[in-house]
Amino acid sequence: MRPPEADTVLVRHADVGVKSGKVQAEMERRLRDNLEAIVEDRGVDATVERRWSRLFVHADPESVDAATDAATDTFGVRSASPALVVPAEADAIVSALGRTAREHRGAVGDTFAVDARRAGTTDAHPFTSKDLENEAGAAVFEALDDPEVDLDDPDAVFYVECREDEAYVFTEKRPGPGGLPLGTQAPVVALVSGGIDSPVAAWELMKRGSPIVPVYLELGDYGGADHEARAMETVRRLREYAPNFELAIRKVPAGDVMDLLAEEVGPARMLVYRQFMYRVAEHVAREVNAAGIVTGEAIGQKSSQTTRNLGATSQATALPIHRPLLTMDKSEITERARRIGTYRDSTIPAGCNRIAPDYPETNATLEIVENARPAGLFERAREAAEDATVVEV
Ligand code: ATP
Ligand code: MG
């Protein structure tokens, strides 16, 4: 539901607002650039303007929905509202709200509220917010069929935000991802497996401002073409949130190492494999100047992810390993994967051999993992990272 002829999107930022003046201005510029890139990438006919500490997207009424969606897919955006711009005069505002209510008569529900605010200099208008709420409330009341006012839990809210010379009339605040504009934090290496979890984890780091450098380990007989296709497809999805960032995937050959681990390592096999993986990520991180690693691990989701095993394996690298899904249930992760659009590609069927041992270690110490680790494995991690191929998605 939006006002008829709405042609502007009001974009509110999230954590950008808690920064000091100079940092905030920088972040706002970054947010504008990122939103512009998404608008352009989707072929939406719209322009982005930064005014006060807000972004405004100007579009035709036919493109305003798509422009709003672009804003709510931009990291750092708290919410976005398709709005109608009218002069900051009581008559114009009241009539716009009345028209909006009439247009949506059947869809409003039984109860409504008017929420009016004024920003900027308060003596710019001959009316108060309360005056507006009363007058506009009467106009909306008249436009609807037998409605009731409910200020606590209304079915519909008619908003007006009045600036010095313009006012914005809108009826919805569509939630964005929140977080910080992409590119305002140092990059991280994202270990992506093509499963459900890892793309969600990568997305969470992007949401906090870190561009990602995706790394996929090619596992030979234990992975396979389908696995790889899933990893590629999910990264392609993530790219839609970051069209102005380079997002090539690094494919690291690890089939030989998997064969070796399957032959030589028993219960601690998966833990040795995790250490190898972190080491590969660390080498890539050095090469691209990334500040950490992100994985889709969650406590207890698999035997390699018990609190003790995470402790024992993490010591393979000095880099921080970020695990944004750490405390989430699989169902929560799946729900998020659906929401961000990576779920479908994560579940393309992939047939491959199982690398996990029958009786995996669940209570490892660093010593156990080190004793199980074949000689020279970390050297092979370095070589594997050097042999990576960079694939554009
Ligand atoms: P996902 O966790 O992505 O759903 P999964 O559950 O099959 O896949 P796990 O065995 O749980 O994978 O692996 C834990 C994490 O290790 C993954 O979230 C991912 O970050 C990383 N990982 C696993 N396999 C690979 C791989 N082949 N290449 C790169 N990273 C991987
Ligand atoms: Mg997993």
Side-chain angles (χ1 to χ4, degrees):
M1 190 169 101
R2 59 186 150 82
E5 299 301 298
D7 63 358
T8 297
V9 186
L10 308 188
V11 183
R12 304 171 192 86
H13 52 55
D15 274 8
V16 172
V18 303
K19 302 291 173 193
S20 67
K22 185 163 164 276
V23 177
Q24 179 167 337
E26 254 172 52
M27 287 202 171
E28 282 171 10
R29 275 194 291 274
R30 170 58 82 174
L31 186 67
R32 179 199 55 204
D33 292 350
N34 293 351
L35 174 51
E36 257 170 7
I38 292 182
V39 161
E40 196 188 307
D41 186 58
R42 296 183 180 186
V44 179
D45 187 12
T47 55
V48 183
E49 179 200 10
R50 178 174 160 241
R51 214 178 349 148
W52 307 301
S53 53
R54 268 285 176 77
L55 295 181
F56 295 82
V57 188
H58 305 288
D60 289 333
E62 304 81 65
S63 325
V64 79
D65 256 322
T68 310
D69 289 342
T72 57
D73 278 344
T74 304
F75 298 114
V77 169
R78 180 160 54 91
S79 66
S81 302
L84 177 64
V85 187
V86 296
E89 294 156 12
D91 285 354
I93 294 169
V94 169
S95 113
L97 281 168
R99 264 185 287 134
T100 304
R102 218 167 300 123
E103 168 108 352
H104 296 289
R105 180 176 255 152
V108 168
D110 301 323
T111 59
F112 80 94
V114 174
D115 180 330
R117 272 152 221 251
R118 294 187 307 152
T121 34
T122 42
D123 53 6
H125 314 112
F127 48 81
T128 64
S129 310
K130 250 305 47 56
D131 294 338
L132 275 183
E133 284 178 358
N134 290 337
E135 275 191 59
V140 171
F141 191 89
E142 215 165 279
L144 299 177
D145 302 317
D146 205 18
E148 257 177 70
V149 176
D150 179 348
L151 300 182
D152 295 324
D153 186 24
D155 294 329
V157 183
F158 295 85
Y159 297 93
V160 55
E161 204 183 287
C162 197
R163 294 267 172 178
E164 230 157 278
D165 51 354
E166 307 187 319
Y168 312 105
V169 168
F170 53 96
T171 52
E172 51 178 337
K173 293 181 180 176
R174 294 189 206 163
L180 294 167
L182 191 62
T184 58
Q185 296 291 320
V188 294
V189 167
L191 283 167
V192 291
S193 67
I196 294 170
D197 306 326
S198 45
V200 178
W203 188 92
E204 292 292 330
L205 266 279
M206 292 167 79
K207 178 190 142 182
R208 293 308 301 177
S210 282
I212 55 158
V213 180
V215 168
Y216 171 75
L217 269 68
E218 226 177 342
L219 304 181
D221 293 342
Y222 300 93
D226 297 341
H227 253 258
E228 190 179 315
R230 299 197 317 193
M232 295 291 167
E233 276 311 312
T234 53
V235 171
R236 200 164 286 145
R237 284 267 158 209
L238 293 176
R239 206 187 157 276
E240 292 173 17
Y241 293 91
N244 51 334
F245 287 78
E246 196 204 325
L247 204 62
I249 190 165
R250 281 173 168 70
K251 264 190 352 184
V252 176
D256 290 354
V257 166
M258 297 313 281
D259 291 341
L260 174 76
L261 299 188
E263 261 166 47
E264 289 195 7
V265 187
R269 185 184 305 152
M270 298 312 281
L271 307 183
V272 172
Y273 162 53
R274 309 295 311 162
Q275 287 206 332
F276 171 78
M277 189 180 286
Y278 297 150
R279 272 295 167 113
V280 169
E282 183 180 290
H283 285 293
V284 175
R286 294 245 145 74
E287 185 197 318
V288 300
N289 198 19
I293 301 167
V294 56
T295 75
E297 290 157 310
I299 293 175
Q301 195 197 73
K302 292 193 170 176
S303 64
S304 58
Q305 296 167 23
T306 63
T307 46
R308 245 195 238 290
N309 283 351
L310 288 173
T313 52
S314 298
Q315 301 186 51
T317 172
L319 281 181
I321 302 173
H322 301 291
R323 299 181 171 105
L325 313 185
L326 194 66
T327 60
M328 289 170 66
D329 292 351
K330 193 75 183 190
S331 59
E332 290 175 88
I333 300 170
T334 302
E335 196 266 323
R336 198 161 301 187
R338 285 187 201 277
R339 191 151 46 78
I340 67 174
T342 55
Y343 179 77
R344 201 174 48 88
D345 298 315
S346 300
T347 51
I348 302 167
C352 56
N353 296 341
R354 209 175 106 88
I355 179 72
D358 289 338
Y359 300 100
E361 174 66 61
T362 57
N363 209 24
T365 58
L366 181 61
E367 202 185 357
I368 291 175
V369 188
E370 281 181 346
N371 287 337
R373 192 165 66 223
L377 190 75
F378 284 171
E379 187 54 23
R380 293 182 72 160
R382 188 180 56 74
E383 289 163 6
E386 282 167 1
D387 288 345
T389 41
V390 180
V391 186
E392 298 296 332
V393 295

